[in-house]
Amino acid sequence: MLFNSLLFLGFLPLVFTIYWLLGRKSYKLQNAFLLIASYYFYSCWDWRFLFLLMFSTLLDYYSGLMMQSAKNQSRKKLWFWLSILINLGFLGVFKYFNFFSESFVNFLSLFGIKSDLVTISVILPVGISFYTFHGLSYVIDIYKNRIPPERNFIDYAVFVSYFPLLVAGPIERATHLLPQIQRQRSFNFDMAKSGLRQILWGLFKKILIADNCAEYANLIFNNSEQMPGSTLLLGALFFTFQIYGDFSGYSDIALGVSKLFGIELLRNFAYPYFSRDIAEFWRRWHISLSTWFRDYLYIPLGGSKGGLGMKIRNTFIIFIVSGFWHGANWTFIIWGALNALYFMPLLLSNRNRNNLEIVAQGKFMPSINEIFNMGITFLLTMLAWIFFRAESVSQAFQIIGEIFSTSIFNQIHFMGLSRALLVLFLIAFFMIIEWIGREYHFALESLTKVNNVAVRWSFYIIIIFLIGIFMPTKETPFIYFQF
Amino acid sequence: MKSFSKRFLIFFVFAFFSYCLLLLIWNFFPSSNINPNLNFSQGQGYFSYTRLREIEDFNGADVLVIGSSHAYRGFDPRIFKANGLKIFNLGSSAQTPLQSEILLNRYLYKIKPKVVLLEVYPGSLTADGVESSLDLISNLRTINLDVIHLVYKMKNIKLVNTLIIRLILDLFEIETKALEPKIKGKNNYISGGYVENYSLNSGTCQNTESGLAFNMEQIASLNRIEANLQEQNIKLIYVSAPVTSNFVAKHPEYELFYNFMKHKSNYLNFTQLENLDNEKNFFDCDHLNQFGVEIFNKKFLNFLRDSL
């Protein structure tokens, strides 16, 4: 069930109504209902993988209890590693087995050794990377004595399977989400209103920006060999907005839907394309994953406490692992490594925490210096996205090679160019609204400062109309579902 | 909660009416680039408007032809009349079984044919049917529940927007005053739903999209048509009109199509009719010109007489 599908349009109001009717009696009933609704939501993709989700939930729940009741450290450690290895084992089999198998065969062939390729034909269970990370953070937090284990299974299962975040995040922490699940929730008018606003903005990003950009990004990337550098650059630009609109749109819808149920989720995006350097970009892009890697990988590895060598090593590790988390392909690994390379000058010159505040805060326009920095950061990011989007490393290098050739001055041409120009106008409109709203949690929230209800409603209607008149006619799944 | 629901409902109603109003204004922009999800065009294309008005006053025929442009460009009522058969051609551009079903439900009782000729080709079973649905929404004299149900089933925003425009115009009885000429370029509308064209084919055929599969909605619709006609004791004949050999060569899905159609005992296949010349008897890759229609219709009438 997609957030942008008619089925979800029926599912959400029904779950919302029953949930608040149950809330009059007890939040425990609400939680049980949320769990049933979430399992139904998940089973709409493939009910068979529901058992995997349930098993993963049970495993982490039980491991948590066993770690707490363990009589000695070695017993605690045993349960900890059992949970970690089984969780990562599932992820490895479903997501990475074929990659490792193919890479191993290719590696052997470098030495002239021929080996039969062993691959398994499995579908990747949707959301496995997300709910596995939920479970991992929970188990690690218990092991490190940061939190006690949750005794109520339903509450814990809701934490893992809560439908707004189940398939593509944000990656929640037990310390943030569980307390909200375990308390009585009362309906909050302003929160629900803000939720609807955020859903609308998320739909705009996904349906209008991402799906329209996808049409041209796909067209250009799928025919990259026949395209000049100028067209390929435009393709990279379309993908840059596709990935942002798609994923941040999903996150906005997830956060907005959750607000309707009185639950605040972690913020996942904070206007990343207005970043002035790569470090700032990574504080603003997929925040729940970046902070997850920071807390559960970077800091345990020593973080930035050691010498320069350790800092460099740790930075490369988290960026490469983050790339690998996205998918079993060398393109993602190179994408991660490239971002680590971008990060190096800032790290070495100790300027990686320079831009912590919002760009041009309190002003309408940024300074020339800020515009220049934002432009450079945007271009670097766009270049890296080519690896993320390309089917193979060789295709990525072919595209980059063409962009940096004289064909960059060739006339842009492909089927549907005139409509593509319209999509560029929509992107410009989108970025203006994002710029105006950059001091808020999401851009459309800036409308709350407009007191005139007619102005606010007119703007919402314009957004709805733009979606209705310019949305592509085919439903497109969210990119991050495949991760 | 109550206040929220009330406010949301008010917004919803306000948004709906505002959306309709904006659509009405936007409808004045004819460019498909800035108007990709709205296509209300009465009296455009190849005579659907005229044909759908003619049938309203047409009473009784021996044969009702239905299907895509291959139908309204392939069966000439004058040739049938000369052979003692009265026909009406209810084909429309890119028509698929989903639209044929609607047209049959609406006009079968009026025409009361002995035989329905349902023209089929691979595209009619693989297409989503959006293009033809837009044509019907724009050009039918009135919109009924069948059309609304079709739009609901197809879940396509372009159809929804176009239907909204049509319903608003009907509601306020706004006449679009579409006067469709009987001659458009080299195409002449002939009474009985037929379109005549004497041009000679000089173009090349485009490759089809690869990996096309049957649209199961179309197959289901085909089955409903069969059942409906059987119930009314009307003979159904599936027919494939001739196309150029180049067209078949560029459309590998013909194999899949033939495999499906071979199970139909009432299927007449004229796709590759002998004696037809790719240049002289067609005006483009897959449409007969008048010279080709005369050859095809004579041959077809021999088969039809045998099966009647």
Side-chain angles (χ1 to χ4, degrees), chain B residues 210-236:
Chain B
S210 58
L212 282 175
F214 284 158
N215 182 332
M216 295 322 286
E217 288 285 340
Q218 303 291 6
I219 305 293
S221 179
L222 214 57
N223 292 335
R224 286 195 298 271
I225 290 173
E226 270 183 22
N228 181 22
L229 292 177
Q230 199 174 12
E231 202 179 299
Q232 298 192 49
N233 219 9
I234 298 170
K235 192 175 173 71
L236 169 68

PDB file of all heavy atoms in Angstrom, chain B residues 210-236:
ATOM      1  N   SER B 210       8.319  -2.568 -26.162  1.00  0.00           N
ATOM      2  CA  SER B 210       8.620  -3.989 -25.995  1.00  0.00           C
ATOM      3  C   SER B 210       7.984  -4.531 -24.710  1.00  0.00           C
ATOM      4  O   SER B 210       7.690  -3.786 -23.791  1.00  0.00           O
ATOM      5  CB  SER B 210      10.129  -4.189 -25.954  1.00  0.00           C
ATOM      6  OG  SER B 210      10.650  -3.433 -24.900  1.00  0.00           O
ATOM      7  N   GLY B 211       7.774  -5.822 -24.701  1.00  0.00           N
ATOM      8  CA  GLY B 211       7.279  -6.487 -23.496  1.00  0.00           C
ATOM      9  C   GLY B 211       5.839  -6.164 -23.142  1.00  0.00           C
ATOM     10  O   GLY B 211       5.474  -6.172 -21.969  1.00  0.00           O
ATOM     11  N   LEU B 212       5.008  -5.859 -24.148  1.00  0.00           N
ATOM     12  CA  LEU B 212       3.606  -5.554 -23.854  1.00  0.00           C
ATOM     13  C   LEU B 212       2.868  -6.821 -23.426  1.00  0.00           C
ATOM     14  O   LEU B 212       3.084  -7.888 -23.984  1.00  0.00           O
ATOM     15  CB  LEU B 212       2.938  -4.954 -25.088  1.00  0.00           C
ATOM     16  CG  LEU B 212       3.247  -3.484 -25.379  1.00  0.00           C
ATOM     17  CD1 LEU B 212       2.623  -3.073 -26.692  1.00  0.00           C
ATOM     18  CD2 LEU B 212       2.754  -2.592 -24.262  1.00  0.00           C
ATOM     19  N   ALA B 213       1.999  -6.663 -22.457  1.00  0.00           N
ATOM     20  CA  ALA B 213       1.221  -7.811 -21.996  1.00  0.00           C
ATOM     21  C   ALA B 213      -0.252  -7.450 -22.054  1.00  0.00           C
ATOM     22  O   ALA B 213      -0.604  -6.274 -22.130  1.00  0.00           O
ATOM     23  CB  ALA B 213       1.622  -8.154 -20.568  1.00  0.00           C
ATOM     24  N   PHE B 214      -1.105  -8.448 -21.995  1.00  0.00           N
ATOM     25  CA  PHE B 214      -2.541  -8.174 -22.029  1.00  0.00           C
ATOM     26  C   PHE B 214      -2.968  -7.445 -20.766  1.00  0.00           C
ATOM     27  O   PHE B 214      -2.501  -7.739 -19.668  1.00  0.00           O
ATOM     28  CB  PHE B 214      -3.330  -9.482 -22.134  1.00  0.00           C
ATOM     29  CG  PHE B 214      -3.313 -10.088 -23.504  1.00  0.00           C
ATOM     30  CD1 PHE B 214      -3.569 -11.433 -23.676  1.00  0.00           C
ATOM     31  CD2 PHE B 214      -3.056  -9.319 -24.626  1.00  0.00           C
ATOM     32  CE1 PHE B 214      -3.552 -12.006 -24.936  1.00  0.00           C
ATOM     33  CE2 PHE B 214      -3.047  -9.872 -25.893  1.00  0.00           C
ATOM     34  CZ  PHE B 214      -3.284 -11.225 -26.049  1.00  0.00           C
ATOM     35  N   ASN B 215      -3.875  -6.518 -20.964  1.00  0.00           N
ATOM     36  CA  ASN B 215      -4.490  -5.831 -19.836  1.00  0.00           C
ATOM     37  C   ASN B 215      -5.693  -6.683 -19.404  1.00  0.00           C
ATOM     38  O   ASN B 215      -6.630  -6.882 -20.176  1.00  0.00           O
ATOM     39  CB  ASN B 215      -4.929  -4.438 -20.323  1.00  0.00           C
ATOM     40  CG  ASN B 215      -5.548  -3.609 -19.236  1.00  0.00           C
ATOM     41  OD1 ASN B 215      -6.128  -4.122 -18.292  1.00  0.00           O
ATOM     42  ND2 ASN B 215      -5.434  -2.306 -19.386  1.00  0.00           N
ATOM     43  N   MET B 216      -5.643  -7.204 -18.211  1.00  0.00           N
ATOM     44  CA  MET B 216      -6.661  -8.156 -17.783  1.00  0.00           C
ATOM     45  C   MET B 216      -8.050  -7.536 -17.696  1.00  0.00           C
ATOM     46  O   MET B 216      -9.063  -8.228 -17.819  1.00  0.00           O
ATOM     47  CB  MET B 216      -6.267  -8.814 -16.456  1.00  0.00           C
ATOM     48  CG  MET B 216      -5.009  -9.679 -16.537  1.00  0.00           C
ATOM     49  SD  MET B 216      -4.840 -10.623 -18.080  1.00  0.00           S
ATOM     50  CE  MET B 216      -6.050 -11.911 -17.860  1.00  0.00           C
ATOM     51  N   GLU B 217      -8.095  -6.221 -17.494  1.00  0.00           N
ATOM     52  CA  GLU B 217      -9.391  -5.527 -17.492  1.00  0.00           C
ATOM     53  C   GLU B 217     -10.045  -5.643 -18.870  1.00  0.00           C
ATOM     54  O   GLU B 217     -11.264  -5.759 -18.976  1.00  0.00           O
ATOM     55  CB  GLU B 217      -9.191  -4.041 -17.155  1.00  0.00           C
ATOM     56  CG  GLU B 217      -8.839  -3.753 -15.707  1.00  0.00           C
ATOM     57  CD  GLU B 217     -10.035  -3.893 -14.776  1.00  0.00           C
ATOM     58  OE1 GLU B 217     -11.171  -3.837 -15.260  1.00  0.00           O
ATOM     59  OE2 GLU B 217      -9.818  -4.072 -13.559  1.00  0.00           O
ATOM     60  N   GLN B 218      -9.209  -5.580 -19.909  1.00  0.00           N
ATOM     61  CA  GLN B 218      -9.739  -5.661 -21.274  1.00  0.00           C
ATOM     62  C   GLN B 218     -10.266  -7.074 -21.553  1.00  0.00           C
ATOM     63  O   GLN B 218     -11.312  -7.239 -22.174  1.00  0.00           O
ATOM     64  CB  GLN B 218      -8.642  -5.311 -22.304  1.00  0.00           C
ATOM     65  CG  GLN B 218      -7.995  -3.955 -22.121  1.00  0.00           C
ATOM     66  CD  GLN B 218      -8.933  -2.784 -22.426  1.00  0.00           C
ATOM     67  OE1 GLN B 218     -10.123  -2.973 -22.678  1.00  0.00           O
ATOM     68  NE2 GLN B 218      -8.404  -1.578 -22.385  1.00  0.00           N
ATOM     69  N   ILE B 219      -9.543  -8.056 -21.060  1.00  0.00           N
ATOM     70  CA  ILE B 219      -9.977  -9.444 -21.269  1.00  0.00           C
ATOM     71  C   ILE B 219     -11.305  -9.684 -20.541  1.00  0.00           C
ATOM     72  O   ILE B 219     -12.231 -10.294 -21.077  1.00  0.00           O
ATOM     73  CB  ILE B 219      -8.901 -10.444 -20.752  1.00  0.00           C
ATOM     74  CG1 ILE B 219      -7.533 -10.157 -21.403  1.00  0.00           C
ATOM     75  CG2 ILE B 219      -9.328 -11.899 -20.966  1.00  0.00           C
ATOM     76  CD1 ILE B 219      -7.444 -10.408 -22.882  1.00  0.00           C
ATOM     77  N   ALA B 220     -11.377  -9.154 -19.315  1.00  0.00           N
ATOM     78  CA  ALA B 220     -12.605  -9.315 -18.532  1.00  0.00           C
ATOM     79  C   ALA B 220     -13.777  -8.633 -19.240  1.00  0.00           C
ATOM     80  O   ALA B 220     -14.897  -9.161 -19.279  1.00  0.00           O
ATOM     81  CB  ALA B 220     -12.410  -8.733 -17.135  1.00  0.00           C
ATOM     82  N   SER B 221     -13.489  -7.481 -19.809  1.00  0.00           N
ATOM     83  CA  SER B 221     -14.530  -6.740 -20.517  1.00  0.00           C
ATOM     84  C   SER B 221     -14.996  -7.514 -21.764  1.00  0.00           C
ATOM     85  O   SER B 221     -16.190  -7.575 -22.057  1.00  0.00           O
ATOM     86  CB  SER B 221     -13.976  -5.366 -20.898  1.00  0.00           C
ATOM     87  OG  SER B 221     -14.931  -4.653 -21.589  1.00  0.00           O
ATOM     88  N   LEU B 222     -14.036  -8.094 -22.436  1.00  0.00           N
ATOM     89  CA  LEU B 222     -14.348  -8.907 -23.613  1.00  0.00           C
ATOM     90  C   LEU B 222     -15.285 -10.061 -23.237  1.00  0.00           C
ATOM     91  O   LEU B 222     -16.267 -10.349 -23.939  1.00  0.00           O
ATOM     92  CB  LEU B 222     -13.029  -9.469 -24.164  1.00  0.00           C
ATOM     93  CG  LEU B 222     -12.884  -9.655 -25.656  1.00  0.00           C
ATOM     94  CD1 LEU B 222     -13.114  -8.361 -26.394  1.00  0.00           C
ATOM     95  CD2 LEU B 222     -11.491 -10.178 -25.973  1.00  0.00           C
ATOM     96  N   ASN B 223     -14.998 -10.687 -22.104  1.00  0.00           N
ATOM     97  CA  ASN B 223     -15.829 -11.801 -21.639  1.00  0.00           C
ATOM     98  C   ASN B 223     -17.248 -11.331 -21.312  1.00  0.00           C
ATOM     99  O   ASN B 223     -18.223 -12.028 -21.593  1.00  0.00           O
ATOM    100  CB  ASN B 223     -15.205 -12.461 -20.401  1.00  0.00           C
ATOM    101  CG  ASN B 223     -13.908 -13.165 -20.755  1.00  0.00           C
ATOM    102  OD1 ASN B 223     -13.712 -13.548 -21.908  1.00  0.00           O
ATOM    103  ND2 ASN B 223     -13.024 -13.323 -19.791  1.00  0.00           N
ATOM    104  N   ARG B 224     -17.335 -10.122 -20.724  1.00  0.00           N
ATOM    105  CA  ARG B 224     -18.677  -9.596 -20.390  1.00  0.00           C
ATOM    106  C   ARG B 224     -19.467  -9.293 -21.668  1.00  0.00           C
ATOM    107  O   ARG B 224     -20.666  -9.529 -21.725  1.00  0.00           O
ATOM    108  CB  ARG B 224     -18.545  -8.329 -19.527  1.00  0.00           C
ATOM    109  CG  ARG B 224     -18.114  -8.611 -18.079  1.00  0.00           C
ATOM    110  CD  ARG B 224     -18.345  -7.402 -17.201  1.00  0.00           C
ATOM    111  NE  ARG B 224     -17.551  -6.262 -17.628  1.00  0.00           N
ATOM    112  CZ  ARG B 224     -16.306  -5.995 -17.203  1.00  0.00           C
ATOM    113  NH1 ARG B 224     -15.732  -6.804 -16.326  1.00  0.00           N
ATOM    114  NH2 ARG B 224     -15.661  -4.937 -17.632  1.00  0.00           N
ATOM    115  N   ILE B 225     -18.759  -8.778 -22.679  1.00  0.00           N
ATOM    116  CA  ILE B 225     -19.437  -8.481 -23.955  1.00  0.00           C
ATOM    117  C   ILE B 225     -19.985  -9.773 -24.550  1.00  0.00           C
ATOM    118  O   ILE B 225     -21.139  -9.850 -24.976  1.00  0.00           O
ATOM    119  CB  ILE B 225     -18.455  -7.788 -24.931  1.00  0.00           C
ATOM    120  CG1 ILE B 225     -18.127  -6.375 -24.454  1.00  0.00           C
ATOM    121  CG2 ILE B 225     -19.034  -7.745 -26.342  1.00  0.00           C
ATOM    122  CD1 ILE B 225     -17.029  -5.680 -25.255  1.00  0.00           C
ATOM    123  N   GLU B 226     -19.145 -10.798 -24.541  1.00  0.00           N
ATOM    124  CA  GLU B 226     -19.560 -12.111 -25.088  1.00  0.00           C
ATOM    125  C   GLU B 226     -20.820 -12.607 -24.389  1.00  0.00           C
ATOM    126  O   GLU B 226     -21.786 -13.012 -25.033  1.00  0.00           O
ATOM    127  CB  GLU B 226     -18.445 -13.141 -24.867  1.00  0.00           C
ATOM    128  CG  GLU B 226     -17.462 -13.206 -26.002  1.00  0.00           C
ATOM    129  CD  GLU B 226     -16.401 -14.294 -25.790  1.00  0.00           C
ATOM    130  OE1 GLU B 226     -16.637 -15.244 -25.018  1.00  0.00           O
ATOM    131  OE2 GLU B 226     -15.317 -14.171 -26.392  1.00  0.00           O
ATOM    132  N   ALA B 227     -20.786 -12.530 -23.043  1.00  0.00           N
ATOM    133  CA  ALA B 227     -21.917 -13.038 -22.259  1.00  0.00           C
ATOM    134  C   ALA B 227     -23.174 -12.221 -22.529  1.00  0.00           C
ATOM    135  O   ALA B 227     -24.272 -12.787 -22.692  1.00  0.00           O
ATOM    136  CB  ALA B 227     -21.563 -12.998 -20.776  1.00  0.00           C
ATOM    137  N   ASN B 228     -23.021 -10.917 -22.612  1.00  0.00           N
ATOM    138  CA  ASN B 228     -24.155 -10.031 -22.839  1.00  0.00           C
ATOM    139  C   ASN B 228     -24.809 -10.308 -24.187  1.00  0.00           C
ATOM    140  O   ASN B 228     -26.037 -10.418 -24.295  1.00  0.00           O
ATOM    141  CB  ASN B 228     -23.657  -8.574 -22.749  1.00  0.00           C
ATOM    142  CG  ASN B 228     -24.765  -7.570 -22.959  1.00  0.00           C
ATOM    143  OD1 ASN B 228     -25.933  -7.885 -22.774  1.00  0.00           O
ATOM    144  ND2 ASN B 228     -24.393  -6.366 -23.348  1.00  0.00           N
ATOM    145  N   LEU B 229     -23.991 -10.464 -25.225  1.00  0.00           N
ATOM    146  CA  LEU B 229     -24.539 -10.691 -26.564  1.00  0.00           C
ATOM    147  C   LEU B 229     -25.193 -12.070 -26.662  1.00  0.00           C
ATOM    148  O   LEU B 229     -26.225 -12.232 -27.299  1.00  0.00           O
ATOM    149  CB  LEU B 229     -23.447 -10.526 -27.619  1.00  0.00           C
ATOM    150  CG  LEU B 229     -22.925  -9.095 -27.783  1.00  0.00           C
ATOM    151  CD1 LEU B 229     -21.789  -9.036 -28.786  1.00  0.00           C
ATOM    152  CD2 LEU B 229     -24.040  -8.153 -28.227  1.00  0.00           C
ATOM    153  N   GLN B 230     -24.569 -12.999 -25.982  1.00  0.00           N
ATOM    154  CA  GLN B 230     -25.130 -14.355 -25.982  1.00  0.00           C
ATOM    155  C   GLN B 230     -26.516 -14.353 -25.332  1.00  0.00           C
ATOM    156  O   GLN B 230     -27.454 -14.961 -25.829  1.00  0.00           O
ATOM    157  CB  GLN B 230     -24.189 -15.286 -25.225  1.00  0.00           C
ATOM    158  CG  GLN B 230     -24.424 -16.749 -25.546  1.00  0.00           C
ATOM    159  CD  GLN B 230     -23.386 -17.637 -24.883  1.00  0.00           C
ATOM    160  OE1 GLN B 230     -22.630 -17.205 -24.017  1.00  0.00           O
ATOM    161  NE2 GLN B 230     -23.352 -18.890 -25.283  1.00  0.00           N
ATOM    162  N   GLU B 231     -26.604 -13.617 -24.254  1.00  0.00           N
ATOM    163  CA  GLU B 231     -27.869 -13.516 -23.520  1.00  0.00           C
ATOM    164  C   GLU B 231     -28.960 -12.903 -24.399  1.00  0.00           C
ATOM    165  O   GLU B 231     -30.122 -13.284 -24.325  1.00  0.00           O
ATOM    166  CB  GLU B 231     -27.628 -12.620 -22.294  1.00  0.00           C
ATOM    167  CG  GLU B 231     -28.639 -12.818 -21.174  1.00  0.00           C
ATOM    168  CD  GLU B 231     -28.305 -11.911 -20.011  1.00  0.00           C
ATOM    169  OE1 GLU B 231     -27.190 -12.052 -19.451  1.00  0.00           O
ATOM    170  OE2 GLU B 231     -29.122 -11.043 -19.703  1.00  0.00           O
ATOM    171  N   GLN B 232     -28.554 -11.947 -25.224  1.00  0.00           N
ATOM    172  CA  GLN B 232     -29.532 -11.271 -26.082  1.00  0.00           C
ATOM    173  C   GLN B 232     -29.682 -11.946 -27.435  1.00  0.00           C
ATOM    174  O   GLN B 232     -30.330 -11.409 -28.331  1.00  0.00           O
ATOM    175  CB  GLN B 232     -29.113  -9.816 -26.274  1.00  0.00           C
ATOM    176  CG  GLN B 232     -29.087  -9.057 -24.959  1.00  0.00           C
ATOM    177  CD  GLN B 232     -28.969  -7.563 -25.191  1.00  0.00           C
ATOM    178  OE1 GLN B 232     -29.702  -7.004 -25.983  1.00  0.00           O
ATOM    179  NE2 GLN B 232     -28.049  -6.945 -24.499  1.00  0.00           N
ATOM    180  N   ASN B 233     -29.005 -13.105 -27.537  1.00  0.00           N
ATOM    181  CA  ASN B 233     -29.112 -13.878 -28.779  1.00  0.00           C
ATOM    182  C   ASN B 233     -28.614 -13.111 -30.004  1.00  0.00           C
ATOM    183  O   ASN B 233     -29.206 -13.185 -31.077  1.00  0.00           O
ATOM    184  CB  ASN B 233     -30.560 -14.309 -28.965  1.00  0.00           C
ATOM    185  CG  ASN B 233     -30.641 -15.711 -29.502  1.00  0.00           C
ATOM    186  OD1 ASN B 233     -29.609 -16.393 -29.572  1.00  0.00           O
ATOM    187  ND2 ASN B 233     -31.814 -16.128 -29.903  1.00  0.00           N
ATOM    188  N   ILE B 234     -27.579 -12.358 -29.841  1.00  0.00           N
ATOM    189  CA  ILE B 234     -26.976 -11.612 -30.956  1.00  0.00           C
ATOM    190  C   ILE B 234     -25.643 -12.264 -31.290  1.00  0.00           C
ATOM    191  O   ILE B 234     -24.837 -12.525 -30.382  1.00  0.00           O
ATOM    192  CB  ILE B 234     -26.776 -10.123 -30.578  1.00  0.00           C
ATOM    193  CG1 ILE B 234     -28.129  -9.469 -30.290  1.00  0.00           C
ATOM    194  CG2 ILE B 234     -26.034  -9.374 -31.679  1.00  0.00           C
ATOM    195  CD1 ILE B 234     -28.034  -8.091 -29.682  1.00  0.00           C
ATOM    196  N   LYS B 235     -25.438 -12.506 -32.566  1.00  0.00           N
ATOM    197  CA  LYS B 235     -24.209 -13.193 -32.968  1.00  0.00           C
ATOM    198  C   LYS B 235     -23.013 -12.236 -32.851  1.00  0.00           C
ATOM    199  O   LYS B 235     -23.093 -11.085 -33.291  1.00  0.00           O
ATOM    200  CB  LYS B 235     -24.354 -13.668 -34.413  1.00  0.00           C
ATOM    201  CG  LYS B 235     -23.279 -14.622 -34.849  1.00  0.00           C
ATOM    202  CD  LYS B 235     -23.586 -15.130 -36.253  1.00  0.00           C
ATOM    203  CE  LYS B 235     -22.458 -15.962 -36.806  1.00  0.00           C
ATOM    204  NZ  LYS B 235     -22.279 -17.264 -36.207  1.00  0.00           N
ATOM    205  N   LEU B 236     -21.949 -12.722 -32.251  1.00  0.00           N
ATOM    206  CA  LEU B 236     -20.724 -11.916 -32.121  1.00  0.00           C
ATOM    207  C   LEU B 236     -19.652 -12.503 -33.024  1.00  0.00           C
ATOM    208  O   LEU B 236     -19.386 -13.709 -32.977  1.00  0.00           O
ATOM    209  CB  LEU B 236     -20.235 -11.916 -30.665  1.00  0.00           C
ATOM    210  CG  LEU B 236     -18.848 -11.342 -30.419  1.00  0.00           C
ATOM    211  CD1 LEU B 236     -18.808  -9.834 -30.675  1.00  0.00           C
ATOM    212  CD2 LEU B 236     -18.389 -11.612 -28.991  1.00  0.00           C
TER     213      LEU B 236
END
